[in-house]
Amino acid sequence: MTEEQAGPRNVDPPEKFASNANVSDPFVYEAADKDYEGFWADRARELHWFKEWDTTLNWSPPEAEWFVGGRTNVAYNCLDHQVEQGRGDKTALVWEGDEPSDSKTYTYSELLAEVQKFANVLKSLGAERGKPVSIYMPMIPELPVAMLACARIGAPHSIVFGAFSASALRDRINDCEATILVTADAAPRGGKATPLKANADEALEDTPSIENVVVVRRTGDDAPLTEGRDHYYDELMKDAEAECPAEEMDSEDLLFILYSSGSTGKPKGIVHTTGGYLTHVNATMKWTFDIKDDDVYWCTADIGWITGHSYLVYGPLSVGATTVQFEGTPAYPASDRWWDVIERNKVTILYTAPTAIRSFMKGGKEDLEKHDLTSLRLLGTVGEPINPRAWEWYHDNVGGGRCPIVDTWWQTETGGHMITPLPGITSTKPGSATRPFPGIDAGLFDEEGNEIEGEGSGNLVIKKPWPGMLRTLYKDPERYRETYWEKYGDVYFVGDGARRDEDGYYWITGRIDDVMNVSGHRISTAEVESALVGHEAVAESAVIGRNDEDKGQAIVAYVILEGDREGSDDLIQELNQQVRKVIGAHARPEEIIFAPDLPKTRSGKIMRRILRGVAEGQQDLGDTSTLADPSVVDSLQASRTNGS
Ligand code: WT7
């Protein structure tokens, strides 16, 4: 069956699911629409506040403040408040290590104890309210502990994904001028270990703000300490005081910075604050994920990305759920590892990415059939559009046909879900993220700034502020305004294209800027280009995302060499190494094409559409008449065939 023949069909919530769902009355949409501030204020009231807010929202575009005057603490909500509600002995965190024999659990009380101690450690190293702490860690329990400890004392964290290179880490530390780095000796994944401390040491050669480094011993690998600067986590924890009261934070105090790729070479420091962010992730845990007290919830994302921040740590803990943290990879020690994790832990809700689903689909059903997956009751997906065939496969084979799927569209910038089904209400269509979450006002605009009504395609926008929205870009309010608020004035410019169908359902079509989405990771073409031209053999480079069945997009780099240089396999290796060194292994190009020239307009703008066409092997490349030199196209096609 082709994809066209397969869809679109409607998949209604199973009756049993709908009748037990946290939200089952479709009227919620209308009510939230009438009074979106009131809707979010009701959600915020479900949290613990030291002091209630005076004003729900101050909106002076592009600056939003939510729950103004309110005082709360995110770690208090995630830990103390749960213990107060009787969840002290409930499992908060299930940790599954890279080796299946390696696992650990923490109850809410145990996690609270660990967090208080580490908060005291951080304080003893000079951490305080408002001063950023950088974190570069494997997927180990000490990572959520470090985050929650920061939140407890009001020190914003800036987590750098463990696959990032030393130079990427250095830039991110220097941008926020962190005084403390929390890291580990090494990060085991798939039976191999990444030397985190060695990478960190390289970064630390050029990070003048860092005064202290905390090193968790994960593997026991050799990781020499620098006297006076570096300390082992376990040694500091041994002497740490047990109690550390949670700071009463202002609702708009900074909770964290998370760097994300934009359309220039410099990553954007996306800023999230306290009360609004927590309200958003807390509400969506209950409404989108239908979370119940007896659920075992597994989000497969790395905490280094926003999905891990919002839906592995803060969202699930703020509702008192049991959250699973997995250190490993799907294929280690065998290709049924995920299904083994689900069976052993009786996971009820699984949240993952289309790219993972597609890779399992390729491997076939046999791995799943070896395991009992009947504990699952709800499935989620995020990161990129899910093609209907992968949706159906997920639904039938992982969900056994009984689990609703929530295809959640959102971004690092939005903090939490924006367009998503509510699993007890929404009739889903495979491939569509369906409708905006209650209280979220999405729309479509054309290039000229006119709003598109009804059915149509255009640029996705959000028309009203929402509590989890980014507040600014760290130390760069001007770039914040330009990136998100300049194109259409007072509506938020998303950067994605979308189509809205006759039922008002949204179908996200992908990024409209020069940002690629590789296996659900956002990577900017400009960053990869700038890494490549950093190599002495490269004169110029243009990078594009080619459609890829497995990864969504694959990185293809066109490279023009310096006069006397010639392309070779060795040089391809070197260039790959260069990207790995400057950004990280996840940004390495899938294909490098040595080209004689790039297709440019007369004004010098690279026509990426043509590069994409060539990389995808399209015969008809459309209109090439605006090229300064149309013959470039032939030579590009020739170099691609020669190269591969
Ligand atoms: C971009 C945001 C949100 C956490 C993971 C990525 C794409 C995300 C979906 C979805 C279609 C999606 C968009 C968005 N995206 N979820 N369900 N359907 N596209 O976070 O790195 O900030 O990337 O991912 O293009 O703009 P991110």
Side-chain angles (χ1 to χ4, degrees):
M1 207 163 43
T2 67
E3 228 145 87
E4 282 71 18
Q5 287 163 331
R9 67 175 182 115
N10 277 68
V11 181
D12 293 325
E15 196 149 327
K16 185 162 157 257
F17 191 101
S19 59
N20 286 307
N22 288 349
V23 189
S24 54
D25 184 354
F27 179 69
V28 291
Y29 285 99
E30 236 179 287
D33 216 29
K34 280 209 187 94
D35 175 15
Y36 79 107
E37 287 186 38
F39 169 80
W40 287 115
D42 286 344
R43 306 283 74 72
R45 268 183 213 103
E46 295 179 17
L47 302 174
H48 170 275
W49 294 83
F50 297 113
K51 175 184 170 288
E52 209 183 302
W53 56 94
D54 312 307
T55 311
T56 302
L57 170 67
N58 277 340
W59 177 225
S60 143
E63 261 124 53
E65 293 177 325
W66 281 89
F67 312 116
V68 186
R71 283 208 297 270
T72 184
N73 182 290
V74 169
Y76 190 96
N77 269 278
C78 290
L79 301 167
D80 313 59
H81 189 50
Q82 302 309 325
V83 174
E84 283 160 13
Q85 290 173 87
R87 297 198 177 96
D89 295 331
K90 179 176 174 176
T91 303
L93 185 70
V94 177
W95 178 75
E96 280 278 345
D98 193 41
E99 298 293 338
S101 55
D102 219 359
S103 71
K104 234 194 257 186
T105 62
Y106 290 74
T107 65
Y108 273 92
S109 297
E110 288 166 346
L111 195 56
L112 172 59
E114 191 84 357
V115 166
Q116 296 200 73
K117 277 169 69 180
F118 194 59
N120 283 326
V121 165
L122 287 174
K123 277 194 196 167
S124 74
L125 300 176
E128 57 183 63
R129 269 174 100 121
K131 260 169 74 178
V133 170
S134 288
I135 300 180
Y136 182 59
M137 281 171 94
M139 279 285 279
I140 52 178
E142 289 81 355
L143 172 51
V145 167
M147 297 164 79
L148 290 158
C150 286
R152 190 164 193 88
I153 61 176
H157 55 70
S158 161
I159 304 182
V160 180
F161 176 49
F164 274 114
S165 66
S167 81
L169 173 63
R170 177 199 59 209
D171 293 348
R172 284 159 179 75
I173 291 175
N174 288 340
D175 190 72
C176 70
E177 295 169 289
T179 55
I180 301 174
L181 173 69
V182 187
T183 186
D185 48 9
R189 276 194 90 222
K192 292 190 235 82
T194 308
L196 280 191
K197 177 61 164 58
N199 288 353
D201 279 338
E202 197 184 325
L204 291 164
E205 282 169 20
D206 197 10
T207 53
S209 59
I210 293 287
E211 290 160 10
N212 287 287
V213 178
V214 181
V215 184
V216 178
R217 283 191 253 222
R218 167 64 188 99
T219 58
D221 287 4
D222 196 30
L225 301 192
T226 296
E227 183 74 35
R229 183 195 70 184
D230 301 356
H231 324 267
Y232 280 124
Y233 178 94
D234 49 313
E235 285 171 11
L236 294 170
M237 288 292 271
K238 255 196 336 243
D239 303 323
E241 293 284 335
E243 264 164 57
C244 175
E247 286 281 319
E248 296 193 6
M249 303 304 290
D250 189 274
S251 177
E252 281 301 331
D253 276 335
L254 223 160
L255 177 65
F256 65 83
I257 306 160
L258 182 56
Y259 290 89
S260 180
S261 293
S263 48
T264 70
K266 190 179 183 296
K268 304 180 283 196
I270 290 169
V271 167
H272 284 289
T273 58
T274 303
Y277 172 80
L278 191 64
T279 299
H280 192 163
V281 298
N282 180 271
T284 44
M285 275 312 294
K286 295 169 183 162
W287 290 45
T288 309
F289 289 133
D290 190 53
I291 196 91
K292 306 271 197 319
D293 226 356
D294 53 1
D295 275 312
V296 178
Y297 163 90
W298 182 20
C299 165
T300 66
D302 193 287
I303 294 175
W305 306 107
I306 190 69
T307 307
H309 283 61
S310 297
Y311 295 110
L312 200 160
V313 180
Y314 291 127
L317 296 179
S318 76
V319 296
T322 297
T323 185
V324 178
Q325 180 188 12
F326 176 47
E327 183 183 39
T329 64
Y332 184 79
S335 55
D336 65 342
R337 182 70 199 274
W338 275 28
W339 320 120
D340 174 54
V341 169
I342 292 174
E343 179 174 17
R344 277 189 296 104
N345 294 290
K346 299 202 167 39
V347 171
T348 57
I349 302 175
L350 176 67
Y351 190 32
T352 191
T355 183
I357 299 164
R358 286 192 297 266
S359 85
F360 292 128
M361 209 166 128
K362 253 194 174 161
K365 298 188 280 204
E366 295 70 31
D367 281 330
L368 289 89
E369 284 164 355
K370 287 187 219 151
H371 296 276
D372 178 5
L373 304 181
T374 54
S375 56
L376 288 171
R377 66 179 193 92
L378 177 66
L379 304 174
T381 132
V382 61
E384 52 173 314
I386 179 162
N387 49 310
R389 212 157 59 85
W391 196 105
E392 296 284 2
W393 192 90
Y394 194 31
H395 182 260
D396 294 348
N397 298 298
V398 181
R402 69 183 179 278
C403 306
I405 296 180
V406 286
D407 173 357
T408 60
W409 175 85
W410 58 294
Q411 311 175 291
T412 306
E413 289 88 340
T414 71
H417 302 155
M418 298 296 279
I419 302 181
T420 174
L422 295 181
I425 299 180
T426 312
S427 176
T428 52
K429 301 185 193 186
S432 168
T434 76
R435 296 172 58 191
F437 190 82
I440 299 294
D441 191 6
L444 297 175
F445 274 48
D446 67 16
E447 274 303 316
E448 282 68 52
N450 307 305
E451 179 156 14
I452 297 163
E453 306 285 346
E455 260 180 85
S457 295
N459 296 341
L460 186 62
V461 299
I462 309 296
K463 297 194 282 177
K464 293 198 188 91
W466 66 99
M469 69 189 269
L470 79 165
R471 296 304 194 264
T472 188
L473 296 178
Y474 196 62
K475 289 200 213 137
D476 203 350
E478 188 45 34
R479 188 174 179 197
Y480 168 67
R481 204 188 51 75
E482 272 168 20
T483 310
Y484 307 106
W485 304 96
E486 195 163 76
K487 192 165 169 86
Y488 295 135
D490 295 353
V491 299
Y492 171 80
F493 176 71
V494 162
D496 281 358
R499 177 171 71 83
R500 192 171 45 217
D501 72 12
E502 66 280 9
D503 297 321
Y505 280 35
Y506 285 84
W507 301 73
I508 309 296
T509 47
R511 303 289 308 185
I512 50 183
D513 51 12
D514 293 329
V515 175
M516 300 170 288
N517 187 328
V518 181
S519 299
H521 295 159
R522 200 201 286 199
I523 298 167
S524 109
T525 55
E527 265 178 277
V528 181
E529 286 161 5
S530 114
L532 287 167
V533 295
H535 189 284
E536 36 92 24
V538 177
E540 199 183 358
S541 137
V543 166
I544 54 112
R546 171 184 69 201
N547 284 326
D548 182 273
E549 230 182 74
D550 301 322
K551 301 178 180 169
Q553 287 189 311
I555 303 177
V556 178
Y558 289 86
V559 168
I560 299 178
L561 296 174
E562 290 287 354
D564 54 341
R565 299 296 295 251
E566 274 193 32
S568 65
D569 285 348
D570 284 348
L571 188 53
I572 288 181
Q573 293 297 326
E574 271 180 48
L575 295 179
N576 265 311
Q577 202 47 36
Q578 170 80 6
V579 175
R580 181 196 195 109
K581 197 163 154 266
V582 178
I583 308 173
H586 61 296
R588 276 175 310 179
E590 171 114 351
E591 188 178 353
I592 292 179
I593 301 170
F594 296 113
D597 211 346
L598 293 173
K600 290 185 183 162
T601 60
R602 278 174 206 97
S603 61
K605 197 172 157 7
I606 296 171
M607 288 182 75
R608 288 171 190 280
R609 175 175 64 76
I610 296 197
L611 293 175
R612 230 169 281 139
V614 171
E616 286 170 7
Q618 292 166 18
Q619 289 312 309
D620 180 9
L621 295 169
D623 183 13
T624 53
S625 63
T626 53
L627 284 174
D629 174 11
S631 74
V632 167
V633 173
D634 294 332
S635 52
L636 276 175
Q637 275 169 326
S639 32
R640 178 162 195 249
T641 353
N642 297 341
S644 48

